[in-house]
Each structure stands twice: as structure tokens, then as C-alpha cells.
Amino acid sequence: MKIVDALIESLRAGAVHNPDVQAAPACILWPDRELQWEAVIPRLQDKMPEIFVLGKYCPEKRTGPAIWLRCVLAGKACEPGLEKDVVPIFYLPGISRQDLRAVESCRSEFKPLAELQYRGTIWSQINAKDWTVLAFLKSDQGGLGLDVAMDKEAKNAMLLALYRLLDEEIALLKGKRLDRDYFNTLLTGGDPVRDLLQWLDQGDMYKQAQGENEWKAFNSVCESQLAFCPDSEGTLTGLQKLADRTGAWESVWERYCEAPKRYPKIPGHIKNCPMPMDLFPNADTHGGWPQWNEAQEDTLWESLVGLENLPCHEACEKILELEKQHGTRRDLVWSELGFSPLALALKPLSELVTITANSLCAGLVSDLADGYVQWGWKADDCVLDALSCVESQKDFQGVQIAVNAVYLPWIEASARHLQQIVEKEGYPGKKSTARTLGALPKSECILFVDGLRFDTAKRLTGLLTSSGASVTQTQTWAALPSVTATGKPAVSPVGNFLTGNLETVNNAEFDPQVIDSEKSLSGGYQFKKLMRDNGWQVLEKAEDGEPEGCAWTEFGELDHQGHDKGWKLAKNISGLLGDVKERIESLLHAGWKTVRVVTDHGWLLIPGGLPKTDLSAVLTENKWGRCAVIKPGAQTDESLFPWYWNPGQMFALANGVSCYKNGQEYAHGGLSLQECLCLELVVTNEHIEKTVGDAVEITDVKWKGLRCNVAVGGDFEGVSIDVRLQAGNASSSVVMTVKTVKDTGIGSVVVEDEDLEGKEAFIVLLDGQKQIKAQTATKIGGE
């Protein structure tokens, strides 16, 4: 029971009588000499139409002079009327029980009410004293029997917070000390630290939005708990104390760090405060000051830029040293707010140093492949992680120099070693290896992802397995040259129907042709036709097909964005792979037993551009970034390799990781582990959790008065909407009726009690078993 309910019950109890020996009281008089209850009377009148107030004539508010109250009692007032047998309650502000009893000396304006003390009853304590707020809360004889502090500050705070105090559950207050801090905290919304942070963030705007009582309570709480007065000391003093994080302000700082984005202006405000100048500043003493963190970022940038002319081993040592100096800043709030991009990038850069300390330049091709599969691919992954941390061109410059100092020499050496071995022993990616995809079981869909490099395939595997999928990985070698025109047909199930006839194929673009028709696969139409002619479904991006057969589909933007965005591909990797994951899961949920993920090639990514090597245009039919078709009879010193679709046609590959075109950050077509060693994934739905189709979410919330309109996305069939004060407590529901979401994805519920407007609550979505499927915090009636 809430305090307001107990108050109403106590007031109405004044009309209780024994009809066998007593006459029903004509009215209940409610004297209130100190006007303590006056502020909550309008609220009580909403719940108790029998309350009338002594005051100026205003019948629509059930207020009027003493003579009008006599008319109400006699049933002669035109409005408002009372139901039969309802005993009216007359609230008498500024009048005490003693004033009523002194009939001859009482003021003339309320003399007409004096005789009602004999025909009615007076709402008072058992000792005949008037009910004050303190007495009602504290007394165990007719009151609530709560433990209330009796000092002046507590009494003042109690009266200021009375309106909100009425909503408190009595059972939760039993055994609790109700003192000044409790009442002030109640008045400020129950979260003084949040209020303090909002004030530090918004300044005068926050103060102007508060009522006079709320602002007084806010100041009182700050003085009591933090020895700080917002009114007299101001925001800059508070911000300086917040940044210093000493004493009780440590808990305020911790609260800020829990949700710093809720207070976006605080970092800028702190910069207006003078930072303490300690002899040895560090994260422990200066971690609360954003300007110190900025200075550290500038120092780190200068150190990274300084790596440009250092030998590789010295650059590695310097990066590890910088990690020791700046790594702790990743734990500061400024990192979460995006103010420490270089400190974040240091983590993958230092891991890159550790990985590249081991060489891949040993043994046969199989040895290189084993090393890359076990640990070498992690170096590529670290580069993507480091690049994903930065936004500005300045920060990119620091990471670029660090990557080029450590990563570039390592991949250059491994690529040259691989090329030397392949020239002697031949390339391991034989036709027979690629064509094993032709014999597939039923209900298998091949998903082709252009440019799914080894490390990105590993990331995709992690995303799938985290959802419960079963994933089998098989390493494969891309067809040479490692470009889509050659590589995609090579991993398709129709490779046996293709060739590379020099007389009819557009060889300079590396497109094979159909054996029977001698038509080139250039443009894609002939490729899809060949698939369909041989019984394969070809699915567009949003199609699921018929799972009883076999299908081919293509999805993903990795290669396209790599060519388009260069190093910025690293910032989009997670989203791109997330899209591929969703496509795989949608196919599995559509009924496909397995999804086989294949790719055509990997790629090289060097921020700032791959090293340039010259190859005269007069020697080539066509020149790509990492490969070129040499004109018949032309003489060149470039390394030549046989084309996958026709070993009689040779083409040139750039040495190491160099590029025939200048300024290309992203390129493929050459011979390196990053471009040629790939992963084929076979994904099954045996253990996958259903993440597509049963997910439901709240997409929009709009309040119109006490009506809450909710938009729901996902699988909302049979889902209903409720509003609760406590998300997990069904009994705390405040709506008139829990409503089911309509077929349009829209639902609405109405809060029954208008006194709850402005109160924090939760919107919850419930399934058919009344289990919570989704929830979101809200404020009843809206912000």
C-alpha cells in the first residue's frame, strides 16, 4: 500500500460509526493550521470527490467560503453534487481544532462551520491534536509508525517532498530511517548523483528546468553528501572536483564513467578548468582530465611518426615501449568516448610486433601454409584492428607509419619466398582441387563471397560459432591470377564446363569460356545460364530458393568496398561480415541443410599504398594492380606464371607485394599468402540458435498523454505490450489492459493512474507464456 492510499483510508475512516447507537456524521472536518497538507489537496481531490476546501469561491475546484460549504452540506449548492451516503470532507487550511472550539472568538469567515464540530467529526490524532505530516508518518496510533527524523532540516525536507512521498510503498519504508537526505533524494528523483552530473553537463539549463523545491533539495543533498553547494560554488568548481576524483567525488566519477555519453558536454566543460600541475603526471593523478589525455595522444602521435626512418627491429622495440607507457589509457573513460584512438591502436600494433617477430620464410610451400594457417593470418587481422581505431587523417598517419615499419617488411619477405618456391616447384592450386565442388549433397547452397580473405573468414567463423553454428574449415588455394574473373568460376560447381581457349576468349581480362558454346563468361549472363542449364538454382541476394535441391548465390561487399575505400575498409569489416552471417543464417532457417561459403581470392592492404614497380605499358595487353598480360613476343624480366584456365598462356605477377599501379592501398591478383591462401567454410544448422525470425525488438515509443504507442520489429506474432514500474515484476503493471501487438507491428496501452506521469518505468514485450522478450526504459507521459 502506498502512503496516499493509507491517507485516504484514514480520512474516510472518520465517517465510520455504529448506526445502532450513533447518528452518521454530517461531515468530516480536516483542520490544518500550518497548511502542511495544502500542496497535495488537488491530487487528493482527484481520488476523493468528497473533499471540499475552505477558500475563495471556485466551485469547479470544489473550493468556496464557509457559507458555500454549508450549502454543499445541505445539498443546495448547484455543483458539484455528492453521491448519496457519501460523507463530505471539509479541508480547513489555516484553522486548528482549537480555533473551531473557541466559537465566540473565532474569525467571522469560518464561524458558520463552528457548529459542524458537533454534528460532524474531526480528523485528528487519538490525543485530539491535529494530524501534521510528521505525526501521520511517525505515530503508531492511527499513523504509519515510520522512523522519521525530527530535526528541523528533516521536517523542512519532508514537507517539500510530500507530493512525491505519497507514492512511496509503506512496506518498503518500514525499518528505514527517513531523514533529510532521504526526503531530498526523493524530491530530486531518487538519484542525486545522476542529477549532479546532469547539472554539471547542462549548467543553468538544468537549474531553470527545476522547481524551487527541487532545486533547494538538490543543493541540500550535495551539501550533505559531497560538502559542495551548487548554488554558491558553481559548475566549474564542481567540474574540477569531478576531475580530481578525490573523497566522495570518486563515486561521482565512477558513475560518470558508467555512462559518459549521457553527459556529452562534461569533457568540454572540464577543459575550461585549470588542470593541476604535478611534477609527474600520470593516469592515476590526471586520468580525469581530458586535456591531459589529449596531450598524451599528441605525444604518442609524434612517437609513431618518428618510426618512419627507423630500422624494423628498432621500430618494434619502440612500439612495445609505447604500449607500456600508453596502454593504461585504454582503461580511462576518454577511450570509450573516442578520445584515445592511438592508445587503442597500440594494442593491435604491439600484438603485430609479437607475431611478426616470427618469420614465414622457411621450408616448402606446405610449411609456409602451415605457419600462416596457425598464426600468420593474425598479423593481417592486427593491421585491420589498428586501422579500425582511427578516424582523422592525422591519426591515420601515425598508424600508417607504424604498420609500414613492422608489417610491410614481413609480408614482403613471405611473398618473395613463396614466389621463389612456386617458380621452382609449381603452384599448389591445381584445377582438380577446385573442381571437387562439382559433386555436392542435396540441400546444399553455395554462398560465394568475393574477397573473403583468410583472416576475415576466421572472423566470420567466430560470428557463426558464437550463435551456435557448426562450422568446418578447409584451406584452399585461389586460382591464378587471384582476380575474380578467374577465381569465381574456379570455385563454382561448373568449372568442368570451362576452358581458356586462346583463340576465342578475352584472355586479357582473365575470363574463361564455356567449352560447348565457346562464349566468354564476361558479364555474368553466360555463367548463370551455365549454372541453370546444369540443374543449379541461382539465387538473388534476398531469395531463399528450394532447399530440396542445390543452389548458388552471391553476397557481400568486401572486395567492392576494398577497391572503393582502401584502408577505410577496416572500419567496415565488422558490419560487412555481420551481413554475411545474417545471410547464411537466413538460408539455414529457410531449410538448407548446409551452406558452403567459398571465395575467389584474398587481398593485400597496405595503408598509404603498396610499393610501386614499373612495367612498361607497351609490353602488356592489359595491366592490373598485381598482374598483367604480356603481349605475344614481348620480352620482360617479370616473373611469369601459367593462367589457371590455360597453362599455355603466361602472365606476369609483380614481385613481392609491389603493385604495377601507384597509390593503391588495396590490391589483389598477385602471388602471396594473403591473396592466395583461402578458407572454405561449411556451415550447418544442427546447433545454430534461431537468431532470424524469433527476434523481437522495440523500434519506437511515443507517448500521447498517458497513452503509450509502441512500434515493434521482428517476429512479433502473439506478442503483447505492458508498462511496469519494475520490468521483472508483473504485479507492478500500471496499464489498464495489456494489449497485443497488431499485424502492423503497432500496439498501444493506457496508463491508468495519471499521478504516475513523469515516473520512470519500463515498456516490456511479452510472448504467449508471459515471458519478457524485450524491454526498454521510459518515462510515463514522455520526456
Side-chain angles (χ1 to χ4, degrees):
M1 178 184 289
K2 295 181 179 180
I3 290 179
V4 65
D5 299 322
L7 177 61
I8 292 172
E9 186 178 281
S10 178
L11 282 165
R12 286 175 171 167
V16 176
H17 65 285
N18 185 349
D20 294 332
V21 297
Q22 293 176 303
C27 63
I28 299 172
L29 301 179
W30 181 358
D32 183 14
R33 175 76 176 181
E34 299 177 9
L35 309 180
Q36 290 189 358
W37 299 97
E38 187 176 37
V40 297
I41 292 301
R43 177 177 176 182
L44 290 173
Q45 284 181 308
D46 290 340
K47 292 177 173 291
M48 304 177 69
E50 68 267 33
I51 291 183
F52 297 86
V53 180
L54 176 65
K56 292 183 179 180
Y57 182 66
C58 187
E60 61 271 18
K61 293 184 178 180
R62 301 202 291 279
T63 300
I67 193 65
W68 179 79
L69 294 180
R70 292 293 299 265
C71 291
V72 169
L73 187 61
K76 301 300 183 181
C78 294
E79 58 177 359
L82 282 175
E83 294 182 6
K84 187 179 179 181
D85 298 328
V86 174
V87 178
I89 300 173
F90 294 159
Y91 173 67
L92 310 177
I95 299 176
S96 69
R97 181 188 179 99
Q98 287 70 25
D99 293 330
L100 290 173
R101 298 188 69 82
V103 177
E104 295 183 359
S105 60
C106 70
R107 298 198 305 270
S108 59
E109 59 264 30
F110 60 81
K111 273 187 176 181
L113 302 178
E115 66 90 13
L116 293 180
Q117 64 183 302
Y118 305 111
R119 290 198 294 132
T121 184
I122 299 176
W123 186 59
S124 60
Q125 301 182 55
I126 195 171
N127 59 5
K129 292 184 178 180
D130 295 345
W131 276 117
T132 63
V133 175
L134 176 62
F136 184 72
L137 295 177
K138 193 173 181 64
S139 174
D140 54 6
Q141 293 183 317
L144 302 182
L146 300 176
D147 181 10
V148 185
M150 299 182 64
D151 57 276
K152 182 179 179 180
E153 291 82 3
K155 292 178 181 179
N156 291 337
M158 174 189 65
L159 296 177
L160 290 175
L162 179 59
Y163 193 90
R164 295 186 179 179
L165 181 63
L166 293 182
D167 287 322
E168 295 297 287
E169 293 285 345
I170 299 173
L172 299 179
L173 299 180
K174 293 292 186 179
K176 188 173 184 178
R177 179 68 170 176
L178 308 186
D179 56 11
R180 176 188 65 173
D181 287 345
Y182 169 79
F183 293 120
N184 284 331
T185 299
L186 188 66
L187 188 58
T188 57
D191 194 343
V193 176
R194 180 200 61 194
D195 295 337
L196 175 60
L197 290 171
Q198 287 181 340
W199 173 67
L200 293 175
D201 182 67
Q202 301 170 17
D204 289 340
M205 291 180 59
Y206 176 85
K207 179 178 179 180
Q208 292 167 6
Q210 303 303 303
E212 182 179 355
N213 289 347
E214 285 80 0
W215 180 249
K216 288 180 179 179
F218 172 65
N219 275 266
S220 179
V221 170
C222 289
E223 289 182 28
S224 173
Q225 297 185 8
L226 297 170
F228 170 71
C229 179
D231 237 349
S232 61
E233 297 184 73
T235 55
L236 287 182
T237 302
L239 289 161
Q240 189 162 1
K241 290 178 178 291
L242 177 67
D244 282 338
R245 304 173 297 167
T246 56
W249 284 86
E250 178 66 28
S251 61
V252 182
W253 174 258
E254 291 175 356
R255 182 67 176 276
Y256 168 67
C257 292
E258 289 175 1
K261 294 180 181 178
R262 292 185 61 178
Y263 317 101
K265 297 179 182 178
I266 282 182
H269 292 334
I270 293 179
K271 291 181 183 180
N272 295 325
C273 303
M275 186 174 69
M277 302 302 294
D278 291 353
L279 187 61
F280 301 106
N282 54 54
D284 291 335
T285 60
H286 285 63
W289 298 88
Q291 51 265 58
W292 172 80
N293 185 69
E294 285 183 359
Q296 291 293 301
E297 281 286 292
D298 290 339
T299 300
L300 176 54
W301 178 83
E302 293 174 357
S303 298
L304 292 175
V305 172
L307 301 175
E308 187 168 19
N309 298 318
L310 292 181
C312 180
H313 70 280
E314 291 185 17
C316 291
E317 292 174 358
K318 183 64 176 177
I319 289 175
L320 294 178
E321 180 183 330
L322 292 172
E323 166 64 11
K324 292 180 180 179
Q325 296 173 4
H326 295 272
T328 55
R329 288 196 293 114
R330 290 193 291 271
D331 298 328
L332 300 180
V333 68
W334 315 124
S335 177
E336 181 180 347
L337 291 173
F339 300 157
S340 309
L342 294 180
L344 289 173
L346 264 182
K347 186 175 188 294
L349 286 176
S350 60
E351 292 173 356
L352 177 64
V353 168
T354 303
I355 294 168
T356 56
N358 300 299
S359 174
L360 288 170
C361 301
L364 305 176
V365 172
S366 59
D367 298 317
L368 269 72
D370 289 344
Y372 186 77
V373 168
Q374 292 175 17
W375 56 268
W377 65 270
K378 296 178 182 178
D380 309 324
D381 197 58
C382 286
V383 172
L384 294 180
D385 278 344
L387 291 171
S388 69
C389 294
V390 296
E391 292 280 355
S392 71
Q393 188 62 33
K394 177 184 176 182
D395 291 336
F396 165 69
Q397 181 187 11
V399 173
Q400 170 199 340
I401 291 173
V403 168
N404 290 346
V406 177
Y407 179 65
L408 182 55
W410 183 77
I411 60 169
E412 173 74 20
S414 64
R416 287 186 177 274
H417 186 66
L418 175 62
Q419 291 162 11
Q420 291 170 5
I421 297 175
V422 169
E423 283 190 90
K424 296 177 182 179
E425 302 179 0
Y427 183 66
K430 306 298 183 183
K431 272 193 174 183
S432 57
T433 303
R435 291 186 176 181
T436 57
L437 293 176
L440 293 176
K442 294 294 183 181
S443 192
E444 177 161 289
C445 181
I446 301 176
L447 175 64
F448 171 77
V449 182
D450 194 354
L452 186 67
R453 195 171 70 170
F454 196 99
D455 56 321
T456 57
K458 284 287 190 179
R459 290 194 185 196
L460 178 59
T461 300
L463 291 175
L464 291 165
T465 55
S466 67
S467 294
S470 176
V471 183
T472 301
Q473 306 175 53
T474 304
Q475 65 189 59
T476 62
W477 288 92
L480 287 185
S482 51
V483 295
T484 301
T486 288
K488 184 169 76 171
V491 295
S492 78
V494 292
N496 287 328
F497 303 100
L498 304 174
T499 186
N501 192 315
L502 293 176
E503 296 179 359
T504 58
V505 71
N506 184 8
N507 167 46
E509 297 296 332
F510 299 107
D511 288 306
Q513 69 181 96
V514 181
I515 295 174
D516 292 341
S517 66
E518 298 184 352
K519 293 182 178 180
S520 172
L521 293 189
S522 177
Y525 171 78
Q526 290 298 328
F527 177 70
K528 292 182 179 179
K529 182 177 184 302
L530 184 62
M531 295 282 291
R532 292 190 178 103
D533 290 346
N534 286 275
W536 288 83
Q537 302 174 60
V538 179
L539 310 180
E540 299 302 324
K541 288 186 177 180
E543 293 179 344
D544 293 330
E546 296 296 332
E548 290 77 16
C550 291
W552 169 277
T553 188
E554 301 176 21
F555 193 86
E557 294 289 327
L558 280 167
D559 193 51
H560 174 75
Q561 290 213 21
H563 288 295
D564 188 47
K565 298 182 180 297
W567 73 269
K568 291 185 179 179
L569 168 68
K571 302 189 70 62
N572 300 326
I573 284 288
S574 295
L576 294 172
L577 293 178
D579 292 341
V580 176
K581 168 183 175 284
E582 289 183 5
R583 176 58 171 156
I584 293 170
E585 291 178 342
S586 70
L587 290 168
L588 292 172
H589 296 315
W592 294 96
K593 292 183 179 179
T594 59
V595 175
R596 186 181 297 268
V597 183
V598 298
T599 191
D600 48 356
H601 57 74
W603 30 270
L604 295 172
L605 181 63
I606 299 295
L610 281 77
K612 172 72 163 52
T613 188
D614 293 325
L615 177 62
S616 175
V618 301
L619 300 176
T620 63
E621 294 279 4
N622 191 16
K623 183 167 61 175
W624 295 42
R626 292 268 292 149
C627 59
V629 176
I630 305 298
K631 290 181 178 179
Q635 299 296 316
T636 177
D637 293 331
E638 295 298 303
S639 300
L640 300 179
F641 295 85
W643 181 32
Y644 178 87
W645 293 108
N646 190 332
Q649 171 66 41
M650 306 295 285
F651 65 94
L653 289 179
N655 290 326
V657 293
S658 60
C659 189
Y660 291 136
K661 296 181 179 180
N662 191 38
Q664 287 198 317
E665 294 181 319
Y666 175 96
H668 56 87
L671 178 54
S672 69
L673 293 167
Q674 285 74 17
E675 295 166 282
C676 297
L677 192 55
C678 304
L679 269 183
E680 177 186 302
L681 310 178
V682 177
V683 188
T684 65
N685 62 356
E686 294 178 0
H687 306 292
I688 193 167
E689 296 176 359
K690 189 176 180 183
T691 58
V692 178
D694 70 345
V696 61
E697 62 176 340
I698 298 170
T699 59
D700 192 27
V701 175
K702 289 184 179 179
W703 285 91
K704 291 184 178 180
L706 294 180
R707 178 176 292 277
C708 181
N709 298 305
V710 183
V712 180
D715 185 7
F716 51 78
E717 183 178 357
V719 169
S720 56
I721 302 171
D722 193 6
V723 178
R724 300 174 175 179
L725 299 180
Q726 299 170 328
N729 184 1
S731 65
S732 69
S733 174
V734 295
V735 300
M736 297 179 69
T737 306
V738 176
K739 292 293 185 68
T740 302
V741 178
K742 299 179 181 177
D743 293 340
T744 58
I746 303 295
S748 67
V749 290
V750 177
V751 174
E752 188 172 13
D753 187 353
E754 63 183 25
D755 292 334
L756 294 176
E757 186 168 1
K759 193 172 184 65
E760 301 289 341
F762 293 90
I763 299 169
V764 296
L765 301 183
L766 307 170
D767 62 14
Q769 287 71 44
K770 303 303 180 183
Q771 298 298 310
I772 296 177
K773 301 293 291 182
Q775 68 183 56
T776 187
T778 189
K779 182 176 286 186
I780 295 176
E783 296 295 337

